[in-house]
Each structure stands twice: as C-alpha cells, then as structure tokens.
C-alpha cells in the first residue's frame, strides 16, 4: 500500500478486512508492506510527506486490527533486496510489455500535472513483481489477495517470472554436445532456429566452447519467448539434456470479495475526490459529511418512493447497520415511509458505533509513534531475512559465483596437497 496518508473506510473494506482474515488463518504467512518506493514513481518531485505518511498508514493498520505477532508489517525501502531484484528483473522485462499496461497508458493520458514519462513509472510493474515474488519459495504456493481490477497486474508478474526462470533457471547439459548425441542437437536446433545458419554451424565439429554458449543462449532465449513449458513439450524426450530449476515462484491470484462502498458522492471513494470517511474521522464530521450524501435520484421529494439497491446510503447500511435497520431502511425507501435525512442519520449512528473502537486504538497508537516505528522496524528486519535468502538463490542462478569459486578452489587445493617432486 502506497504511503498516501491516513486511510479511509474504503481502504478497510477494500483490503484491510481481508488482510486481517488471512493473518488469522494459520495456513498463510502474511507479509504486508508500505510501498514508499512506489510513491516516488509519481510523487518524486516532493518526498517530504513520505515518512509521516508511512507512520500514519502503520498507525491505521494497527488500529484496524493488523497484528505484528501474526503477520509481518514492514517498509519497502528498509529491505534493499527489493531494489536489487527489481534491477535483475528489469534486465529481462520487455519494454513492450510495460508500455502496454493499461494503467500506464491511462495515467499518461489523464494525469497532466505531473511528468510521468520516467523510467521509474514505466517500470512500476517490475518493482511490483519483485515485491511479490521476494517472499515466495520454489514449489510453495504464493498467493496475492487482489480484486478483479488487479488480476492483469498479477498476470504480468507471472509472465516476468516465467521469463526469468527460463533465462536463469534453465541449464543445458554438456552431454548434448557429445558426438553420440549429435542427432539430438540437430533436432533441438531445428526447433529453436530452423533458418539460422549460425546455429546450424554449431552442429559441425569441432564444437568448441563458443559454439556451445551460442546454442545455450539460443535455447534460453527461445524458451523465454515461447514459454518454458511450451518449449519442453516441443522437444519431448530431448528435455533430458536440460536441467530446469525454478528460481522464483509464479504468484497466484486470490480473488477477494470486496463489498461495494461508494464515496459520499457516489463515485469511487478517494481522498483526491474529497468523498471519503477517514478511519480517524470525528463523530461530528461523520454526521456532517453523511448528511449530504447522494441518494437515489428518483427521490426528489419526501413523498417520492426510491430504490435502495441503487442508493449509496443503503450500500453503507449493509456494511454498518444491523439487519433490522437495513430492513427498516429498504422498506421505508421503497414506500416513501421515511425520508433520506432519517435514513442517513440512522446509518451515521451505526457507522459511528463501528468506527469508535478503531478510532480509539488509533488515538492510543498516535500518542506513541515510537511503538508504531518499532513494529515497522522489527517487521522490516524479519522481512529482510527472508529477502536475503531469496536473493542468495537468485544471485547464484544469475551469476553462478558459488559454482565458480568452488571450481577455482578445487585445483588450488589439489595442487597444494600434491606431493613434492624429486629434483
């Protein structure tokens, strides 16, 4: 979640409610972070608000019910491994994939008061992918709780992971280049580059290290383009000449039901629209703001019947009011038995009852910001321990330094232990 300041009830029902449910489910290990680097993709011109907004969001998370003993709460920039993985993934993320992201094009068209023609904004989905897969392990399901509008973003992350696994997790065995396996080499080259004179020349002896590396690079590039599973199905039994290691786990979508909670004006709830109720809102402000909420436009006069199914106030009743009040509101609206003012007042009463314990916890944490920081710092350290393990695995897959060091140490040790020759 980006540090945009205090949270509103839309944030609670759109995300936090589900996060709390997941933290209480023992089958999930949950990581929730404040995305301060993501904030810079659009607000790089003024970063003075980021630190305070981060504390405000952490305070709201704790007040809403996220428990540092049940989940890991951390700050993105406190785990520098996110930036390193973002860098490595950006090396293999095609520019066209990023330019075709719908939200990227929409933002460029609609946001005119900021210059978004930056590398950071274009590469937002790559950083998002790094954020997600950092906390996955090979062959253990990695799920991301999102709504329908976020599914395409997760699918792009899956594509980037598949591509990285093809480039960094696919090894070609030396046996493929043995004379006895020359027919297999011919068949694989026919699949990946039937018209490539350069690749065909690699089947002619002597097959030196340069030819071998050319074939290996071509195999990885083709597998990344076609998809590793597709490539393996194309070559069938010839896959025995390849070693496949899953470096990063593809994330799965966990579709979450989010109740409809429109803003005070009927549009999507957003602070930028000025149509939100904050989790820290006072009773007086709640009553003032809800008194002017839009309702069913058919109810122009008190005696006009309305339809609660299209009224934002009734959407809020379904979230905050008990069943008997909901029934009273729906019946009174349809029969014109109650006016909109009465209906709004009853809803506001129940909203205040719901928000009071959240607000009280927020006041308690607000008086002790050091405690909030300690929770975030502790969570960041815990998250970094996991991230370091992930990056150890990724670095070795990309650079093979441990393998190279072992290779270099071996001959030196043998030479050192060899008996001295006679003069």
């Amino acid at each position: 979640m980006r540090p945009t300041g205090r949270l509103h009830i839309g944030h609670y029902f759109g995300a936090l409610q589900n996060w709390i449910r997941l933290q209480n489910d023992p089958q999930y290990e949950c990581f929730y972070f404040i995305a301060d680097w993501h904030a810079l993709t659009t607000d790089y011109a003024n970063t003075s608000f980021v630190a305070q907004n981060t504390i405000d969001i952490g305070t709201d998370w704790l007040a809403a019910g996220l428990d540092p003993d049940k989940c890991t709460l951390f700050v993105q920039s406190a785990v520098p491994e996110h930036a390193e993985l973002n860098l490595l993934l950006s090396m293999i993320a095609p520019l066209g994939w990023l330019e075709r992201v719908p939200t990227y094009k929409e933002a460029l068209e609609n946001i005119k008061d900021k210059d978004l023609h930056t590398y950071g904004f274009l590469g937002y989905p790559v950083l998002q992918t790094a954020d997600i897969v950092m906390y996955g392990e090979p062959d253990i399901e990695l799920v991301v709780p999102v709504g329908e509008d976020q599914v395409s973003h997760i699918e792009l992350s899956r594509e980037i992971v598949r591509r990285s696994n093809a480039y960094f997790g696919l090894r070609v065995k030396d046996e493929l280049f043995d004379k006895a396996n020359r027919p297999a080499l011919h068949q694989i080259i026919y699949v990946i580059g039937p018209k490539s004179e350069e690749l065909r020349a690699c089947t002619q002896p002597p097959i030196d290290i340069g030819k071998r590396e050319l074939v290996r690079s071509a195999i990885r590039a083709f597998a990344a383009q076609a998809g590793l599973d597709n490539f393996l199905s194309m070559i069938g039994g010839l896959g025995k000449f390849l070693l496949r290691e899953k470096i990063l786990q593809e994330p799965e979508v966990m579709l979450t039901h989010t109740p409809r909670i429109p803003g005070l004006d009927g549009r999507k709830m957003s602070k930028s629209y000025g149509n939100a109720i904050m989790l820290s809102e006072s009773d007086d402000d709640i009553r003032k703001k809800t008194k002017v909420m839009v309702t069913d436009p058919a109810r122009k006069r008190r005696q006009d019947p309305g339809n609660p199914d299209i009224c934002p106030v009734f959407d809020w009743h379904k979230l905050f009011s008990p069943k008997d009040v909901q029934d009273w509101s729906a019946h009174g609206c349809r029969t014109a038995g109650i006016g909109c003012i009465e209906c709004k007042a009853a809803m506001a009463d129940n909203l205040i009852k719901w928000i009071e314990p959240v607000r009280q916890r927020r006041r308690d944490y607000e008086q002790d910001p050091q405690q909030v920081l300690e929770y975030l710092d502790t969570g960041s350290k815990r998250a970094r321990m996991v991230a370091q393990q992930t990056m150890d695995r990724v670095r070795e897959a990309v650079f093979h330094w441990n393998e190279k060091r072992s290779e270099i140490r071996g001959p030196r040790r043998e030479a050192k232990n060899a008996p001295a020759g006679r003069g």
Side-chain angles (χ1 to χ4, degrees), residues 90-392:
S90 72
M91 300 300 177
I92 53 95
L95 192 58
W97 289 7
L98 304 179
E99 291 173 330
R100 287 193 293 270
V101 172
T103 50
Y104 173 71
K105 293 187 287 188
E106 289 169 12
L108 289 183
E109 291 171 3
N110 298 324
I111 299 177
K112 301 302 182 183
D113 60 337
K114 299 174 182 177
D115 181 6
L116 299 182
H117 293 85
T118 62
Y119 167 75
F121 187 68
L122 176 65
Y124 186 108
V126 182
L127 178 56
Q128 187 176 59
T129 300
D131 297 331
I132 295 169
V133 301
M134 185 69 78
Y135 301 95
E137 297 179 41
D139 301 319
I140 296 179
E141 187 180 34
L142 173 65
V143 297
V144 187
V146 295
E148 287 278 2
D149 59 335
Q150 292 289 315
V151 170
S152 62
H153 294 175
I154 304 304
E155 184 53 42
L156 178 56
S157 292
R158 289 168 59 85
E159 293 289 348
I160 293 173
V161 169
R162 290 180 196 130
R163 191 170 170 86
S164 67
N165 283 336
Y167 275 117
F168 305 138
L170 187 62
R171 308 286 291 272
V172 180
K173 296 180 181 179
D174 287 335
E175 298 95 276
L176 177 62
F177 303 101
D178 291 346
K179 185 176 181 181
N181 296 320
R182 202 64 49 81
L185 178 60
H186 277 280
Q187 290 179 58
I188 290 178
I189 286 179
Y190 181 77
V191 170
I192 66 174
K195 297 181 180 180
S196 172
E197 294 289 343
E198 187 177 31
L199 283 177
R200 284 206 297 270
C202 292
T203 65
Q204 304 303 315
I207 303 180
D208 58 21
I209 190 170
K211 289 181 178 179
R212 294 183 183 206
E213 291 309 311
L214 181 62
V215 171
R216 287 189 166 101
S217 296
I219 288 173
R220 292 191 189 101
F222 185 87
Q225 184 69 31
L228 188 50
D229 289 330
N230 291 336
F231 171 58
L232 292 175
S233 68
M234 289 178 188
I235 63 174
L238 300 178
K240 67 182 181 181
F241 294 106
L242 306 176
L243 290 174
R244 178 183 184 181
E245 181 184 0
K246 187 182 289 185
I247 309 303
L248 297 170
Q249 179 67 26
E250 287 183 36
E252 302 289 340
V253 166
M254 177 188 281
L255 278 176
T256 58
H257 170 70
T258 54
R260 173 175 157 76
I261 180 160
L264 295 161
D265 57 3
R267 294 184 294 174
K268 178 181 177 181
M269 187 175 291
S270 170
K271 281 182 290 188
S272 61
Y273 293 157
N275 64 357
I277 296 290
M278 312 309 291
L279 292 175
S280 54
E281 206 84 58
S282 70
D283 290 359
D284 286 345
D285 285 341
I286 288 173
R287 295 189 193 283
K288 287 176 186 175
K289 288 185 175 183
T290 54
K291 192 175 288 186
V292 295
M293 276 186 77
V294 299
T295 57
D296 177 3
R299 297 207 70 185
K300 292 183 171 61
R301 295 178 296 273
R302 167 68 174 75
Q303 62 269 30
D304 293 334
N307 181 2
D309 295 331
I310 61 171
C311 178
V313 176
F314 191 68
D315 287 326
W316 287 30
H317 266 299
K318 287 185 284 188
L319 295 173
F320 305 115
S321 300
K323 184 67 168 57
D324 61 323
V325 176
Q326 292 179 40
D327 292 343
W328 166 82
S329 170
H331 179 73
C333 179
R334 290 190 174 99
T335 62
I338 61 171
C340 292
I341 295 297
E342 296 170 75
C343 186
K344 293 175 185 178
M347 184 276 295
D349 288 340
N350 287 293
L351 166 55
I352 289 169
K353 289 178 185 176
W354 175 87
I355 211 170
E356 173 52 31
V358 177
R359 199 169 49 192
Q360 183 56 53
R361 287 192 296 269
R362 195 189 199 290
R363 283 195 289 263
D364 293 341
Y365 282 115
E366 218 169 9
Q367 292 172 7
D368 190 6
Q370 183 61 36
Q371 178 69 74
V372 177
L373 277 176
E374 286 176 8
Y375 282 139
L376 293 176
D377 288 344
T378 300
S380 298
K381 290 174 183 175
R382 189 187 311 158
R384 192 170 188 199
M385 289 174 63
V386 177
Q388 286 171 336
Q389 293 174 358
T390 299
M391 288 313 302
D392 285 345

